[in-house]
Amino acid sequence: MKMTIKPAAVEYIQGKINDGQRVFLALDDGSSKFSKLGGSCAIGNKFQLVLADNADSDYTTEIENNSDYKVYTSGEELTFLGNGLSLDYKNAMLKLSDNSGILDGAVTIDQAPDEVASKDQLKEDMQTIGVKNC
């Protein structure tokens, strides 16, 4: 898998990433361990960049890119990613697209939590904020 990271996106991410950190391209629809969002309106069309100091056994598929960033994703995300993957920064938003069009016009970026929440905790969090998701 390859992704072009446009210069504006590189500049935006640069201010948030520490040297040597890994970038995980993760779904943010309630299906990944980093996501607290959920609901049918978000399935497969909501992504996030998760910055982590260490490798993650679920995010081992490397995404080749034109920057110095070490970008990885998991098999679950690959279902929604196509050829011509591109990340750009326009109108104060990160935009992920591929040859099919825009996948997510508002990709978020955040540091990985020190400890990933359990499935039960994620479910509880999603139920608590669930009415705000869609």
Side-chain angles (χ1 to χ4, degrees), residues 16-79:
K16 300 183 177 324
I17 191 170
N18 297 323
D19 287 339
Q21 278 192 311
R22 293 170 182 259
V23 179
F24 302 137
L25 177 59
L27 284 164
D28 195 12
D29 62 2
S31 65
S32 85
K33 62 184 170 186
F34 300 116
S35 177
K36 290 188 179 180
L37 297 179
S40 60
C41 64
I43 295 173
N45 71 352
K46 190 83 182 97
F47 289 86
Q48 61 183 323
L49 299 179
V50 179
L51 308 178
D53 294 327
N54 299 307
D56 186 295
S57 61
D58 293 330
Y59 290 83
T60 58
T61 302
E62 185 170 3
I63 300 177
E64 294 179 41
N65 65 82
N66 58 309
S67 73
D68 292 333
Y69 302 134
K70 300 172 191 169
V71 182
Y72 300 88
T73 196
S74 77
E76 286 77 19
E77 282 77 6
L78 290 176
T79 303

